[in-house]
Amino acid sequence: MAHVTLDKYLARLGYGTRREVTQLVAKRRVTQTDGRTLSTDDRIGPALHDQLRVDDEPLDPPTGSLLILHKPVGVVCSAKDVAPLVYDLLPSRFLRRTPVIAPIGRLDRETSGLLLLTDDGALNHRIASPRTHVSKRYEVWLAEPLRGDERALFASGTLLLAQEATPLRPAELEIVGERHVRLTIHEGRYHQVRRMFAAVGNHVVALHRAAIGALTLGNLPVGAWRVLSAAEREAVA
Ligand code: URA
């Protein structure tokens, strides 16, 4: 966010309307770590972000941040659906931010794992775009044992999913067990992993996204989120 007045800065981060934020400032609930008194007309830029506090708490992540969330099974990647939603795992202010923080691509309700979110539209597009071919690695548990030709078929670049005109890009399959595989894909078509296994007569019983590019969940607990560092951002796209 370029330099804007304090009331506008906090309103964009979802701390309330400009009027409500003005009240927070008047009540001295907005403070600066160096003790300097703040006024709503003060112009705030990225450099000051880390020095501001609301009710003695550091501010939410600045605009342009990239978030990683460990999505649990049963949670929906949408702001408008039947709860629970991924937004229920984030501070409620996040839904009032301008621009909004949105998931980068989707995971199905029944899929767990690594979900990225950002309010940076260009970054979202760059990571999600089918043209970028950012890799996504999934752990897949299957209803039936593998039949044997899956690895070669997925790697061939010839697999055509039902109702699609272009074949899938080559994907890498690593066999972990009879009904457990690791699949890396380089695009993100609708329900792609489930449909790939349906195409070979199998059924996915559990699906977990373990990595996007070189980024993994590490030890981020299920349901938790955090802001990615600049180095981690590099690992994604
Ligand atoms: N492929 C799927 O089928 N579902 C997901 O959630 C992600 C990839």
Coordinates of all heavy atoms in Angstrom, one line a residue, residues 175-226:
I175 N 5.2 -44.3 -6.5 CA 4.4 -45.3 -5.8 C 5.0 -45.5 -4.4 O 6.1 -45.8 -4.2 CB 4.4 -46.6 -6.6 CG1 3.7 -46.3 -8.0 CG2 3.6 -47.7 -5.9 CD1 3.9 -47.4 -9.0
V176 N 4.1 -45.3 -3.4 CA 4.5 -45.4 -2.0 C 4.0 -46.7 -1.5 O 4.7 -47.4 -0.8 CB 3.9 -44.2 -1.2 CG1 4.4 -44.3 0.2 CG2 4.2 -42.9 -1.8
G177 N 2.9 -47.2 -1.9 CA 2.3 -48.4 -1.5 C 1.3 -48.9 -2.5 O 1.0 -48.2 -3.5
E178 N 0.6 -50.0 -2.2 CA -0.4 -50.5 -3.2 C -1.5 -49.5 -3.5 O -2.0 -49.4 -4.6 CB -0.9 -51.8 -2.6 CG -1.4 -52.8 -3.7 CD -2.1 -54.0 -3.1 OE1 -2.7 -53.9 -2.0 OE2 -1.9 -55.1 -3.7
R179 N -1.9 -48.8 -2.4 CA -3.0 -47.8 -2.5 C -2.6 -46.4 -2.1 O -3.5 -45.6 -1.8 CB -4.2 -48.3 -1.7 CG -4.9 -49.6 -2.1 CD -6.1 -49.8 -1.3 NE -6.9 -50.9 -1.7 CZ -6.6 -52.2 -1.3 NH1 -5.5 -52.4 -0.6 NH2 -7.3 -53.2 -1.7
H180 N -1.3 -46.2 -2.1 CA -0.8 -44.8 -1.7 C 0.2 -44.4 -2.7 O 1.2 -45.1 -2.9 CB -0.2 -44.9 -0.3 CG 0.3 -43.7 0.2 ND1 1.1 -43.6 1.4 CD2 0.2 -42.4 -0.2 CE1 1.5 -42.3 1.6 NE2 0.9 -41.6 0.6
V181 N 0.0 -43.2 -3.3 CA 0.9 -42.7 -4.3 C 1.2 -41.2 -4.0 O 0.5 -40.5 -3.3 CB 0.4 -42.8 -5.7 CG1 0.2 -44.3 -6.1 CG2 -0.9 -42.1 -5.9
R182 N 2.3 -40.7 -4.6 CA 2.6 -39.3 -4.6 C 2.6 -38.8 -6.0 O 3.2 -39.4 -6.9 CB 4.0 -39.2 -4.1 CG 4.4 -38.0 -3.3 CD 5.6 -38.2 -2.5 NE 5.2 -38.8 -1.2 CZ 6.0 -39.7 -0.5 NH1 7.2 -40.0 -1.0 NH2 5.6 -40.2 0.6
L183 N 1.7 -37.8 -6.3 CA 1.5 -37.3 -7.7 C 1.9 -35.9 -7.8 O 1.5 -35.0 -7.0 CB 0.1 -37.5 -8.1 CG -0.3 -37.0 -9.4 CD1 0.3 -37.9 -10.5 CD2 -1.8 -37.1 -9.6
T184 N 2.8 -35.5 -8.8 CA 3.1 -34.1 -9.0 C 2.5 -33.7 -10.3 O 2.8 -34.3 -11.4 CB 4.7 -34.0 -9.0 OG1 5.2 -34.4 -7.8 CG2 5.0 -32.5 -9.2
I185 N 1.7 -32.7 -10.3 CA 1.1 -32.1 -11.5 C 1.6 -30.7 -11.8 O 2.1 -30.1 -10.9 CB -0.4 -32.2 -11.5 CG1 -1.0 -31.4 -10.3 CG2 -0.9 -33.7 -11.3 CD1 -2.5 -31.3 -10.3
H186 N 1.4 -30.2 -13.0 CA 2.0 -28.9 -13.4 C 0.9 -28.0 -14.0 O 1.2 -27.2 -14.8 CB 3.1 -29.1 -14.4 CG 4.2 -30.1 -13.8 ND1 5.2 -29.6 -13.0 CD2 4.3 -31.4 -13.9 CE1 6.0 -30.7 -12.7 NE2 5.4 -31.8 -13.2
E187 N -0.3 -28.3 -13.5 CA -1.4 -27.4 -13.9 C -2.5 -27.6 -12.8 O -2.2 -28.3 -11.9 CB -2.0 -27.8 -15.3 CG -2.3 -29.3 -15.4 CD -2.4 -29.8 -16.8 OE1 -2.7 -29.1 -17.7 OE2 -2.1 -31.0 -16.9
G188 N -3.6 -27.0 -13.0 CA -4.6 -27.1 -11.9 C -6.0 -27.1 -12.5 O -6.8 -26.2 -12.3
R189 N -6.3 -28.2 -13.1 CA -7.7 -28.3 -13.7 C -8.7 -28.8 -12.6 O -8.3 -29.4 -11.6 CB -7.7 -29.3 -14.9 CG -6.7 -28.9 -16.0 CD -7.1 -29.5 -17.3 NE -5.9 -29.4 -18.1 CZ -5.9 -30.0 -19.3 NH1 -6.9 -30.6 -19.8 NH2 -4.8 -29.9 -20.1
Y190 N -9.9 -28.5 -12.9 CA -11.0 -28.8 -11.9 C -10.9 -30.3 -11.4 O -10.9 -31.2 -12.3 CB -12.3 -28.5 -12.6 CG -13.5 -28.7 -11.7 CD1 -13.8 -27.9 -10.6 CD2 -14.5 -29.7 -12.0 CE1 -14.9 -28.1 -9.8 CE2 -15.6 -29.9 -11.2 CZ -15.8 -29.1 -10.1 OH -16.9 -29.3 -9.3
H191 N -10.8 -30.5 -10.1 CA -10.8 -31.8 -9.5 C -9.8 -32.7 -10.2 O -10.1 -33.9 -10.4 CB -12.2 -32.5 -9.6 CG -13.2 -31.9 -8.7 ND1 -14.5 -32.2 -8.8 CD2 -13.1 -31.0 -7.7 CE1 -15.2 -31.5 -7.8 NE2 -14.3 -30.7 -7.2
Q192 N -8.7 -32.1 -10.6 CA -7.8 -32.9 -11.5 C -7.3 -34.2 -11.0 O -7.3 -35.2 -11.7 CB -6.5 -32.0 -11.9 CG -5.6 -32.7 -12.8 CD -4.5 -31.8 -13.4 OE1 -4.7 -30.6 -13.4 NE2 -3.4 -32.3 -13.8
V193 N -6.9 -34.2 -9.8 CA -6.3 -35.5 -9.3 C -7.4 -36.6 -9.2 O -7.2 -37.7 -9.6 CB -5.6 -35.3 -7.9 CG1 -5.1 -36.6 -7.3 CG2 -4.5 -34.3 -8.0
R194 N -8.5 -36.2 -8.6 CA -9.6 -37.2 -8.5 C -10.0 -37.7 -9.9 O -10.3 -38.9 -10.1 CB -10.8 -36.6 -7.8 CG -10.5 -36.2 -6.3 CD -11.7 -35.5 -5.6 NE -11.2 -34.9 -4.4 CZ -11.0 -35.4 -3.2 NH1 -11.4 -36.7 -3.1 NH2 -10.6 -34.7 -2.2
R195 N -10.0 -36.8 -10.9 CA -10.5 -37.2 -12.2 C -9.4 -38.0 -12.9 O -9.7 -38.9 -13.7 CB -10.8 -35.9 -13.0 CG -12.1 -35.3 -12.5 CD -12.3 -33.9 -13.1 NE -12.6 -33.9 -14.5 CZ -12.2 -32.9 -15.4 NH1 -11.5 -31.9 -14.9 NH2 -12.5 -33.0 -16.6
M196 N -8.1 -37.8 -12.6 CA -7.1 -38.6 -13.2 C -7.2 -40.1 -12.7 O -7.1 -41.0 -13.5 CB -5.7 -38.1 -12.8 CG -5.3 -36.8 -13.6 SD -3.8 -36.0 -12.9 CE -2.5 -37.1 -13.7
F197 N -7.5 -40.2 -11.5 CA -7.6 -41.6 -11.0 C -9.0 -42.2 -11.4 O -9.0 -43.5 -11.7 CB -7.4 -41.7 -9.5 CG -5.9 -41.6 -9.2 CD1 -5.3 -40.4 -8.8 CD2 -5.1 -42.7 -9.3 CE1 -4.0 -40.3 -8.6 CE2 -3.7 -42.6 -9.1 CZ -3.2 -41.4 -8.8
A198 N -10.0 -41.4 -11.6 CA -11.3 -41.9 -12.1 C -11.0 -42.4 -13.5 O -11.6 -43.5 -13.9 CB -12.3 -40.9 -12.1
A199 N -10.1 -41.7 -14.3 CA -9.9 -42.1 -15.7 C -9.2 -43.5 -15.8 O -9.2 -44.1 -16.8 CB -9.0 -41.0 -16.3
V200 N -8.5 -43.9 -14.7 CA -7.9 -45.2 -14.7 C -8.7 -46.2 -13.8 O -8.1 -47.2 -13.3 CB -6.4 -45.2 -14.3 CG1 -5.6 -44.4 -15.4 CG2 -6.2 -44.5 -12.9
G201 N -10.0 -45.9 -13.6 CA -10.9 -46.9 -13.0 C -10.7 -47.0 -11.5 O -11.0 -48.0 -10.9
N202 N -10.1 -45.9 -10.9 CA -9.8 -46.0 -9.4 C -10.6 -44.9 -8.8 O -11.4 -44.1 -9.4 CB -8.3 -45.8 -9.1 CG -7.9 -46.6 -7.9 OD1 -8.6 -46.7 -6.9 ND2 -6.7 -47.2 -8.0
H203 N -10.5 -44.8 -7.5 CA -11.2 -43.7 -6.7 C -10.4 -43.2 -5.6 O -9.7 -44.0 -4.9 CB -12.5 -44.4 -6.1 CG -13.3 -43.4 -5.3 ND1 -14.0 -42.4 -5.8 CD2 -13.5 -43.4 -4.0 CE1 -14.6 -41.7 -4.8 NE2 -14.3 -42.3 -3.7
V204 N -10.3 -41.9 -5.5 CA -9.4 -41.3 -4.5 C -10.2 -41.3 -3.1 O -11.3 -40.7 -3.1 CB -9.0 -39.8 -4.9 CG1 -8.3 -39.1 -3.7 CG2 -8.1 -39.9 -6.1
V205 N -9.7 -41.9 -2.1 CA -10.4 -41.9 -0.8 C -9.9 -40.8 0.1 O -10.6 -40.3 1.0 CB -10.4 -43.2 -0.1 CG1 -11.2 -44.3 -0.9 CG2 -8.9 -43.7 0.1
A206 N -8.6 -40.3 -0.1 CA -8.1 -39.2 0.7 C -7.0 -38.5 -0.1 O -6.3 -39.2 -0.9 CB -7.5 -39.7 2.0
L207 N -7.0 -37.2 0.0 CA -6.1 -36.4 -0.9 C -5.5 -35.2 0.0 O -6.3 -34.6 0.7 CB -6.9 -35.8 -2.0 CG -6.1 -35.0 -3.1 CD1 -5.0 -35.9 -3.7 CD2 -7.1 -34.6 -4.2
H208 N -4.2 -35.1 -0.1 CA -3.5 -34.0 0.7 C -2.5 -33.4 -0.2 O -1.7 -34.0 -0.8 CB -2.8 -34.7 1.9 CG -2.0 -33.8 2.7 ND1 -2.5 -33.0 3.7 CD2 -0.6 -33.6 2.7 CE1 -1.5 -32.3 4.2 NE2 -0.4 -32.6 3.6
R209 N -2.5 -32.0 -0.3 CA -1.5 -31.3 -1.1 C -0.3 -31.0 -0.1 O -0.5 -30.3 0.9 CB -2.0 -30.0 -1.6 CG -1.0 -29.3 -2.5 CD -1.6 -28.4 -3.6 NE -2.2 -27.3 -3.0 CZ -3.0 -26.5 -3.7 NH1 -3.3 -26.7 -4.9 NH2 -3.5 -25.4 -3.1
A210 N 0.8 -31.6 -0.5 CA 2.0 -31.5 0.3 C 2.9 -30.4 -0.1 O 3.7 -29.9 0.8 CB 2.8 -32.8 0.3
A211 N 2.9 -30.0 -1.3 CA 3.9 -28.9 -1.8 C 3.3 -28.2 -3.0 O 2.6 -28.7 -3.8 CB 5.2 -29.6 -2.2
I212 N 3.7 -26.9 -3.0 CA 3.5 -26.1 -4.2 C 4.9 -25.6 -4.6 O 5.6 -24.9 -3.8 CB 2.6 -24.9 -4.0 CG1 1.2 -25.4 -3.7 CG2 2.5 -24.0 -5.3 CD1 0.1 -24.3 -3.5
G213 N 5.4 -25.9 -5.8 CA 6.8 -25.6 -6.1 C 7.7 -26.3 -5.1 O 7.5 -27.4 -4.7
A214 N 8.7 -25.5 -4.5 CA 9.6 -26.1 -3.5 C 9.1 -25.8 -2.1 O 9.7 -26.1 -1.1 CB 11.0 -25.5 -3.7
L215 N 7.9 -25.2 -2.0 CA 7.3 -24.9 -0.7 C 6.5 -26.0 -0.1 O 5.6 -26.6 -0.8 CB 6.5 -23.6 -0.8 CG 5.8 -23.1 0.5 CD1 6.9 -22.4 1.3 CD2 4.7 -22.2 0.2
T216 N 6.8 -26.4 1.1 CA 6.0 -27.4 1.8 C 5.4 -26.8 3.1 O 5.7 -25.7 3.5 CB 6.9 -28.6 2.2 OG1 7.9 -28.2 3.2 CG2 7.6 -29.3 1.0
L217 N 4.6 -27.6 3.7 CA 3.9 -27.1 4.9 C 4.8 -27.1 6.1 O 4.6 -26.4 7.1 CB 2.7 -28.1 5.3 CG 1.5 -27.8 4.4 CD1 0.5 -29.0 4.6 CD2 0.8 -26.5 4.8
G218 N 6.0 -27.8 6.1 CA 6.9 -27.9 7.2 C 6.1 -28.4 8.4 O 5.3 -29.4 8.3
N219 N 6.3 -27.8 9.6 CA 5.5 -28.2 10.8 C 4.3 -27.4 11.1 O 3.9 -27.3 12.3 CB 6.5 -28.4 12.0 CG 7.3 -27.1 12.2 OD1 6.9 -26.1 11.6 ND2 8.3 -27.2 13.0
L220 N 3.8 -26.7 10.1 CA 2.6 -25.9 10.3 C 1.4 -26.8 10.7 O 1.0 -27.7 10.0 CB 2.3 -25.1 9.0 CG 1.2 -24.0 9.1 CD1 1.7 -22.8 10.0 CD2 0.9 -23.5 7.7
P221 N 0.9 -26.6 11.9 CA -0.2 -27.5 12.4 C -1.5 -27.4 11.5 O -1.7 -26.3 10.9 CB -0.5 -27.0 13.8 CG 0.6 -26.1 14.2 CD 1.2 -25.6 12.9
V222 N -2.3 -28.4 11.5 CA -3.5 -28.4 10.7 C -4.4 -27.2 11.2 O -4.5 -27.0 12.4 CB -4.3 -29.7 10.9 CG1 -5.6 -29.7 10.2 CG2 -3.5 -30.9 10.5
G223 N -4.9 -26.4 10.3 CA -5.8 -25.3 10.6 C -5.0 -24.0 10.9 O -5.6 -22.9 11.0
A224 N -3.6 -24.1 10.9 CA -2.9 -22.8 11.2 C -2.4 -22.2 9.9 O -2.4 -22.8 8.9 CB -1.6 -23.2 12.1
W225 N -2.0 -20.9 10.0 CA -1.5 -20.1 8.9 C -0.4 -19.2 9.4 O -0.3 -19.0 10.6 CB -2.7 -19.3 8.3 CG -3.2 -18.2 9.2 CD1 -4.1 -18.4 10.2 CD2 -2.7 -16.9 9.3 NE1 -4.2 -17.2 10.9 CE2 -3.4 -16.2 10.4 CE3 -1.8 -16.1 8.6 CZ2 -3.2 -14.9 10.7 CZ3 -1.6 -14.8 9.0 CH2 -2.3 -14.2 10.0
R226 N 0.4 -18.7 8.4 CA 1.4 -17.7 8.7 C 1.8 -17.0 7.4 O 1.4 -17.5 6.3 CB 2.6 -18.4 9.4 CG 3.4 -19.3 8.5 CD 4.6 -19.9 9.2 NE 5.3 -20.9 8.4 CZ 6.1 -20.5 7.4 NH1 6.4 -19.3 7.2 NH2 6.7 -21.5 6.7

